[in-house]
Amino acid sequence: MMLNRLQTLKGKEVEVDFHGTLHKGILTDVSEDEVFLKSGDNWLALPLYEVSDIRPTSGS
């Protein structure tokens, strides 16, 4: 299941493809509805159903 895979990425640097825009940051949490990302000084809560991909960054 996708949520289980995402749980393994918590605390790691990831790339999140959201509407064709790539957001990079630390995956802080994931729920059934949202992805929570810390990117620099910003905190993002992105609707999971609008995220097309979440993957570790190249160096992770």
Side-chain angles (χ1 to χ4, degrees):
M1 182 174 193
M2 188 167 100
L3 282 179
N4 288 340
R5 183 179 72 84
L6 293 178
Q7 292 295 335
T8 66
L9 294 174
K10 281 175 63 173
K12 297 182 180 169
E13 184 88 20
V14 296
E15 297 175 341
V16 178
D17 189 344
F18 179 73
H19 287 284
T21 301
L22 200 61
H23 296 279
K24 293 183 181 182
I26 303 296
L27 183 65
T28 59
D29 203 1
V30 62
S31 71
E32 290 184 11
D33 301 316
E34 292 181 299
V35 172
F36 301 94
L37 188 68
K38 183 172 186 333
S39 181
D41 291 334
N42 299 314
W43 291 87
L44 303 172
L46 304 172
L48 185 58
Y49 70 93
E50 295 184 49
V51 170
S52 59
D53 191 26
I54 301 175
R55 60 190 169 271
T57 57
S58 301
S60 296

